[in-house]
Amino acid sequence: MSALELPPIPARALPVSAEAPGKCIVFGEHAVVHGAPELLFALDLSVQVIVRPSGAVSLNTDREGTERNPYFRSALARSWSDGPPVAVRAVSRIPKSAGLGSSAAFVAALSAALSAARGGIDRPALAQRAFETERGAQGVGSPGDTSAVVGGGFLSINGGSGEVLWTVRGPDREWEVRRVPDPGWLWVVAHSGIPRSTGTAVRAVGERLARSDGPRLLEEFTRVARDGIRAVEQGDRPRVAELIGRNQELLREVGVSHPRLEALISAAAPAAEAAKLTGAGAGGSIVALPVPGKEVELVRRLARAGGLPFVVRPSATGVRLIEP
Ligand code: MEV
């Protein structure tokens, strides 16, 4: 599918409601911030927002919303500058601070709704705006999360052989975003219950990669993600599983695993072909590729080990407007 076939967000008068999926990173988190490839998909768990005209700005009735929520503040600054006050309600089925893209989904849904009220926006422009909005709130970041929730399906960043959907421009680098065909597999994610901060984890990995063996580690992250993208494109499940294991070893080496994540990965082993942390790590979630037919057993094992597991499929649709 080309970017031109991804429908733009049309113009709509307030009230406007929008829905955006979360995301799950299969290969390349953290390294992508430094220009390496990444593979991720939009999750079939979503955030919905509704934006209404109002006498005062609020988020879920909180009039201090802009002070308390940097994502809300950043979205209003970039998509609603000088706009009249709006009341925003947000409802999320994506666990927060879990590495599953709740902030990217909130940013994309809100930016889409506000942009609709400002005359509409096409997907490449929305992907750029959502990236800048999330980065503005976190201070760090790469475009994978926001592009996945804007584009839907499977996407690769800086790798893969598909058509380029769009290029996202950051202050010191650009990332090419491509479509990857969905191999049609079920995945299981499990939240450890340990909240984490993306910004803190990203800065810690940046410091780790600045050490003398940093270039070697980044090269290895690059190789694993590049080969992983190719293996997904070819539907080569055993190779994908092997590379997921290798990616986890690298993430452990740069210090973003956590004893709870390692416990979940061990608990998953008898019913999973592979498992690794997904997202920023240091808490958050794991993603596992179930042994076909053992999905329910995998969910039981992860729940028994104290995780909050979900069987997930990629959501083919990215952010979209819905009826308020
Ligand atoms: C967070 O979901 C993924 C990271 O790679 C940060 C980013 O890409 O913005 C850790």
Side-chain angles (χ1 to χ4, degrees):
M1 184 187 285
S2 84
L4 294 175
E5 288 166 52
L6 280 173
I9 301 298
R12 196 164 292 175
L14 293 179
V16 185
S17 193
E19 178 174 56
K23 62 86 205 194
C24 175
I25 300 175
V26 180
F27 293 112
E29 51 273 271
H30 285 292
V32 69
V33 175
H34 306 276
E38 180 181 50
L39 177 77
L40 73 174
F41 62 85
L43 269 187
D44 58 352
L45 296 172
S46 65
V47 167
Q48 290 183 5
V49 301
I50 177 158
V51 182
R52 298 179 189 283
S54 172
V57 173
S58 65
L59 175 60
N60 288 337
T61 73
D62 180 4
R63 292 199 178 187
E64 308 294 312
T66 48
E67 278 94 86
R68 282 200 247 269
N69 187 318
Y71 298 95
F72 184 49
R73 185 166 63 242
S74 184
L76 288 180
R78 286 172 175 81
S79 299
W80 201 244
S81 58
D82 305 325
V86 284
V88 174
R89 283 213 173 248
V91 179
S92 178
R93 287 185 54 224
I94 310 169
K96 277 210 177 68
S97 300
L100 300 176
S102 65
S103 58
F106 172 68
V107 158
L110 184 53
S111 305
L114 295 170
S115 303
R118 283 271 165 99
I121 187 166
D122 66 22
R123 300 259 161 185
L126 181 59
Q128 178 70 31
R129 182 174 297 176
F131 160 69
E132 286 170 8
T133 302
E134 195 184 42
R135 192 183 164 105
Q138 284 174 182
V140 289
S142 72
D145 296 14
T146 38
S147 281
V149 309
V150 169
F154 264 84
L155 295 177
S156 62
I157 313 291
N158 285 354
S161 58
E163 183 189 351
V164 175
L165 288 180
W166 49 72
T167 298
V168 176
R169 292 165 307 281
D172 45 19
R173 68 176 78 247
E174 293 189 346
W175 293 268
E176 273 185 354
V177 181
R178 291 170 196 266
R179 172 66 64 211
V180 173
D182 179 354
W185 304 334
L186 283 176
W187 302 80
V188 171
V189 297
H191 181 25
S192 64
I194 315 269
R196 54 93 195 96
S197 149
T198 300
T200 309
V202 166
R203 279 184 275 270
V205 172
E207 282 162 24
R208 177 67 188 80
L209 292 178
R211 291 187 1 210
S212 60
D213 60 346
R216 183 212 27 108
L217 284 167
L218 196 56
E219 231 169 75
E220 189 59 7
F221 271 113
T222 299
R223 193 189 61 73
V224 166
R226 192 193 53 220
D227 294 356
I229 293 166
R230 189 174 313 128
V232 168
E233 285 177 341
Q234 294 169 346
D236 184 346
R237 215 174 146 110
R239 181 80 176 130
V240 170
E242 181 192 331
L243 290 163
I244 286 176
R246 179 68 192 123
N247 201 157
Q248 175 60 20
E249 286 170 11
L250 289 169
L251 288 163
R252 209 177 276 142
E253 198 171 345
V254 296
V256 285
S257 196
H258 184 282
R260 294 291 313 137
L261 297 174
E262 294 295 333
L264 291 176
I265 290 169
S266 302
E273 292 178 348
K276 63 180 269 295
L277 71 82
T278 184
S285 300
I286 66 156
V287 57
L289 188 57
V291 172
K294 290 201 175 177
E295 292 82 7
V296 174
E297 180 188 332
L298 177 55
V299 165
R300 276 208 204 99
R301 286 181 170 279
L302 290 167
R304 242 185 271 131
L308 177 62
F310 307 83
V311 177
V312 295
R313 277 181 187 282
S315 155
T317 340
V319 64
R320 64 194 179 99
L321 300 188
I322 52 177
E323 288 314 309

